[in-house]
Amino acid sequence: MINSRLAVAIHILSLISMDEKTSSEIIADSVNTNPVVVRRMISLLKKADILTSRAGVPGASLKKDPANISLLEVYRAVQKQEELFAVHENPNPKCPVGKKIQNALDETFESVQRAMENELASKSLKDVMNHLF
Amino acid sequence: MINSRLAVAIHILSLISMDEKTSSEIIADSVNTNPVVVRRMISLLKKADILTSRAGVPGASLKKDPANISLLEVYRAVQKQEELFAVHENPNPKCPVGKKIQNALDETFESVQRAMENELASKSLKDVMNHLF
DNA sequence: TCAAATGTAACTATTATAGTTACAACGGTG
DNA sequence: CACCGTTGTAACTATAATAGTTACATTTGA
């Protein structure tokens, strides 16, 4: 299972899109987490050019319309790991299977990851928010 | 990132399909892990009706041709969690967003997961093994 | 009958993730 | 223009998932 960061990021972005003055404390209260966790997430979303925020000023502002923020860009903003599936480290190169398994899996997993990412790309923050009301 | 179980399971199944007498110790040596980890995985694959094995008898036997073993069934065999994405626990029900976010995300994440699973379903163990030679 | 293997429980180790504490820096408001 | 509330971030701790290990009862083929 993939971590809950995409879920939390979407929650944060939804609140901000409704009220750009929502502080990290209020957001944390809605998400049920710590304000620092929210601020860290906002920092990642900022690096990804999804929103802006300034020290000392409560809240944050989306840089784009929710309809133009795809879940894929949010996902990539908050996800360290590029790869969807982990592979096992150091398979035995003396075994013909161990020697080539990582390459074989890379090719296979890539298309699966692409399928998932295409679906994420097809959905926007607005699409999710439409389910909120 | 999803754990390495699918990768390890495919590695194990590849070795078994090439030689059904391969012991958990030899498999572990190729994967670079502990024989018990391999036996646990084999136990899961057995429960999923993908292979058979017997106490005291080295190796295991596939119950189907590699071309008829989809990566989705392997994935489901070794993966405890049904859900692809985690959601954050106990969002605040007093907040209109917190109250409905999980439902909204469930609907959204479901189609993404389905896209990934469809791609896994379209690939067989044999497809992966074709990359090994 | 016995050496070698599996099956599994119980424990430990490792790592990713999330949560927390602390505090410097910033800025709008009175 | 000082102050209070806020952000930004570092550093640390806690938690949980995963993998690795030890130990041993059970099975079986030679």
Side-chain angles (χ1 to χ4, degrees):
Chain A
M1 184 152 69
I2 297 172
N3 58 46
S4 66
R5 286 186 194 177
L6 178 57
V8 172
I10 291 171
H11 191 151
I12 292 170
L13 290 170
S14 299
L15 289 168
I16 288 173
S17 86
M18 289 166 63
D19 179 2
E20 303 208 327
K21 294 193 177 52
T22 317
S23 70
S24 62
E25 179 142 5
I26 290 175
I27 294 173
D29 188 56
S30 174
V31 173
N32 181 37
T33 185
N34 191 290
V36 174
V37 172
V38 172
R39 297 205 282 269
R40 276 201 291 241
M41 206 71 112
I42 286 176
S43 168
L44 290 173
L45 294 167
K46 199 172 175 174
K47 277 184 195 128
D49 225 50
I50 292 169
L51 51 70
T52 59
S53 68
R54 289 164 60 215
V57 183
S61 304
L62 300 189
K63 293 193 77 170
K64 299 194 265 186
D65 193 272
N68 295 320
I69 298 177
S70 79
L71 299 193
L72 180 58
E73 61 188 301
V74 178
Y75 176 76
R76 289 200 169 135
V78 299
Q79 217 62 40
K80 280 271 158 68
Q81 285 304 137
E82 283 263 314
E83 284 76 26
L84 178 57
F85 294 101
V87 294
H88 196 277
E89 300 288 288
N90 307 318
N92 191 338
K94 287 177 198 151
C95 166
V97 173
K99 184 178 186 171
K100 304 198 90 181
I101 189 74
Q102 290 194 330
N103 253 309
L105 291 174
D106 282 350
E107 305 210 14
T108 305
F109 289 168
E110 192 187 302
S111 73
V112 178
Q113 178 168 348
R114 200 159 44 229
M116 183 209 67
E117 293 186 347
N118 284 343
E119 191 66 19
L120 278 178
S122 77
K123 297 186 176 300
S124 71
L125 174 59
K126 180 156 183 286
D127 292 333
V128 181
M129 291 185 66
N130 283 339
H131 291 291
L132 288 176
F133 308 105
Chain B
M1 184 152 68
I2 298 172
N3 59 45
S4 65
R5 286 185 193 178
L6 178 58
V8 173
I10 290 171
H11 192 151
I12 291 171
L13 290 169
S14 298
L15 288 168
I16 288 173
S17 87
M18 289 166 64
D19 179 2
E20 302 207 328
K21 294 195 177 52
T22 317
S23 71
S24 62
E25 178 143 3
I26 290 174
I27 294 173
D29 188 56
S30 173
V31 174
N32 181 35
T33 184
N34 191 291
V36 174
V37 172
V38 172
R39 297 204 282 269
R40 276 203 291 243
M41 208 69 114
I42 285 176
S43 169
L44 291 173
L45 294 167
K46 199 170 172 174
K47 276 185 194 127
D49 225 50
I50 292 170
L51 51 69
T52 59
S53 67
R54 291 161 58 214
V57 184
S61 304
L62 299 188
K63 292 192 78 172
K64 298 194 266 188
D65 193 272
N68 295 320
I69 299 176
S70 79
L71 299 193
L72 180 58
E73 61 187 304
V74 178
Y75 175 76
R76 288 197 170 138
V78 299
Q79 217 63 38
K80 279 273 157 66
Q81 285 302 135
E82 283 263 314
E83 285 74 28
L84 178 57
F85 293 101
V87 294
H88 196 276
E89 301 287 289
N90 309 315
N92 192 339
K94 289 177 198 151
C95 166
V97 173
K99 185 178 187 171
K100 305 198 91 182
I101 188 74
Q102 289 193 331
N103 254 310
L105 291 174
D106 281 349
E107 306 210 15
T108 306
F109 289 168
E110 191 187 302
S111 74
V112 179
Q113 178 168 348
R114 201 159 42 232
M116 183 208 68
E117 293 186 346
N118 284 342
E119 191 66 18
L120 278 177
S122 77
K123 296 187 176 300
S124 70
L125 174 59
K126 181 157 183 284
D127 293 333
V128 182
M129 291 185 66
N130 283 340
H131 290 292
L132 289 176
F133 307 107

